[in-house]
Amino acid sequence: MSKIPVILDCDPGVDDTLALLLSHQLQELDVKAITTVAGNAPIKYTFRNARNVMDYIGANVPVYKGADKPLLRSLRTAAHIHGEDGMGGVVLPESEQHEETEAAWDAIHRIAMEEMGKLTLIAVGPLTNIALALSKFDDMQKLIKRIIIMGGAAVGGNVTPYAEFNIYVDPEAAEMVFASGIPVCMCGLDVTMRAYMSRAEIEELMALGSKEAKLFHDVEQKALAVYDTLGRPGVALHDPAAVLFTAYPELFQGKWCGIRVETKDKSTCGKTVTDLFRDKKFEEQNTFIVTDVDRDAFVKKVFDLMGKYER
């Protein structure tokens, strides 16, 4: 089987941590690099957290530091879900691996050139790094096969009534990505709120007995508490949904549509405007929007992948 070469662009972040845990066990993916961006927490934490997680699980993948703020706006973080340091109160040993100094957007372009048009970007944080690569390198459109993002929503939002967090943090970057001409797959709230695990399922997963399973359990506890107050049946695995979609698209449903991003209006800023439910369509159907998931099969995949870690 030919593996899919990918870069995981992330802002760890508790669900980013789960995405890193799962991606390491996905035989379908060839993870070339991890790039980090400010989002759930400031860049000093997201870069450190990614390095620490990868070191903790024994993944020999380089981690690159990216943008410390959005293109045009002040940074907004999500400490109420992820904690001030992005790890929900979990403390990992500090990585002793070599610290990469190449900027994330330069690493993205370099690896894309090496992969000669085969590279997939999985972007599960604000899209600042990718926007910077697009603005710096004229050949990015032909070098990237597709961009799979966790972000946006056809309906609703989670940081405002209209906007999802990753898009809201840097809407200008998101608009650049959707308008880039590169095929985009959007795993937004429409699907990720369906890709959840209950408290009981997370407790069952910890019983697998590995240190990685314990990390999966522990890092989600703060988020679980928030979801409990919202009356949700479990915690949404937002970023893992994008990673698993990349490897197992058969578990998901969706449709091609047009999407652009509102950047001007204050009340709706960050909204992913789609023609999915409209008679009037955009001229270009630039995005495959993922709208549903077989939750039982999704959860089983999570258990299967986490079960590969040794006790």
Side-chain angles (χ1 to χ4, degrees):
M1 180 183 67
S2 178
K3 292 188 175 187
I4 304 168
V6 304
I7 290 175
L8 182 56
D9 188 70
C10 58
D11 58 336
V14 298
D15 50 336
D16 306 75
T17 297
L18 307 188
L20 293 171
L21 285 167
L22 296 172
S23 66
H24 183 52
Q25 295 295 354
L26 276 166
Q27 298 303 308
E28 293 81 1
L29 304 184
D30 180 7
V31 182
K32 297 294 184 180
I34 307 298
T35 52
T36 60
V37 66
N40 288 324
I43 190 65
K44 67 178 181 179
Y45 294 126
T46 61
F47 179 57
R48 185 191 72 183
N49 293 343
R51 281 171 44 81
N52 290 351
V53 170
M54 298 305 280
D55 202 27
Y56 189 73
I57 65 179
N60 186 25
V61 178
V63 179
Y64 299 93
K65 183 188 292 186
D68 63 355
K69 60 182 179 180
L71 296 179
L72 301 176
R73 300 170 187 264
S74 298
L75 176 65
R76 173 168 180 163
T77 62
H80 67 294
I81 294 284
H82 302 271
E84 293 294 337
D85 67 352
M87 289 296 287
V90 173
V91 178
L92 293 179
E94 291 294 326
S95 172
E96 297 181 354
Q97 300 302 313
H98 165 73
E99 185 171 313
E100 303 290 345
T101 58
E102 186 178 18
W105 46 89
D106 290 332
I108 289 170
H109 180 256
R110 173 178 55 77
I111 295 169
M113 290 184 65
E114 293 168 358
E115 294 301 317
M116 298 181 293
K118 298 179 180 179
L119 183 68
T120 291
L121 300 179
I122 307 175
V124 297
L127 296 171
T128 317
N129 287 339
I130 299 173
L132 288 168
L134 288 168
S135 64
K136 183 173 182 179
F137 302 105
D138 293 338
D139 56 353
M140 281 291 292
Q141 180 180 355
K142 66 182 180 182
L143 290 176
I144 303 297
K145 183 174 182 180
R146 59 178 177 164
I147 303 172
I148 297 172
I149 72 169
M150 187 282 118
V155 179
N158 63 357
V159 68
T160 75
Y162 302 99
E164 179 275 332
F165 176 81
N166 284 341
I167 307 300
Y168 182 80
V169 168
D170 198 343
E172 286 80 13
E175 170 62 7
M176 286 180 64
V177 170
F178 282 106
S180 68
I182 301 170
V184 175
C185 298
M186 187 177 94
C187 295
L189 299 178
D190 313 286
V191 66
T192 64
M193 294 303 294
R194 302 171 187 264
Y196 67 87
M197 286 182 69
S198 69
R199 183 177 293 276
E201 288 166 338
I202 292 176
E203 293 294 332
E204 182 183 351
L205 188 142
M206 187 174 71
L208 293 171
S210 65
K211 63 185 179 69
E212 291 84 3
K214 185 177 187 303
L215 173 59
F216 188 110
H217 168 276
D218 292 352
V219 81
E220 280 286 30
Q221 294 308 300
K222 184 176 178 66
L224 265 172
V226 174
Y227 276 81
D228 285 345
T229 67
L230 299 174
R232 300 288 186 181
V235 61
L237 304 191
H238 298 290
D239 297 347
V243 171
L244 264 64
F245 172 78
T246 310
Y248 308 118
E250 67 275 9
L251 302 183
F252 298 82
Q253 296 179 23
K255 186 176 180 180
W256 282 96
C257 67
I259 293 182
R260 302 300 292 267
V261 180
E262 175 60 62
T263 62
K264 301 298 183 183
D265 185 79
K266 185 176 180 179
S267 63
T268 59
C269 187
K271 178 176 175 56
T272 41
V273 181
T274 173
D275 61 10
L276 184 65
F277 305 116
R278 304 290 182 262
D279 293 331
K280 179 65 176 178
K281 302 295 184 182
F282 286 114
E283 291 184 5
E284 183 183 6
Q285 304 296 286
N286 62 331
T287 303
F288 185 82
I289 183 171
V290 187
T291 56
D292 204 356
V293 61
D294 182 336
R295 194 190 83 87
D296 290 342
F298 175 86
V299 172
K300 184 179 186 302
K301 286 292 186 185
V302 172
F303 270 84
D304 290 345
L305 291 167
M306 292 305 299
K308 293 182 180 182
Y309 285 106
E310 296 182 0
R311 287 177 178 265

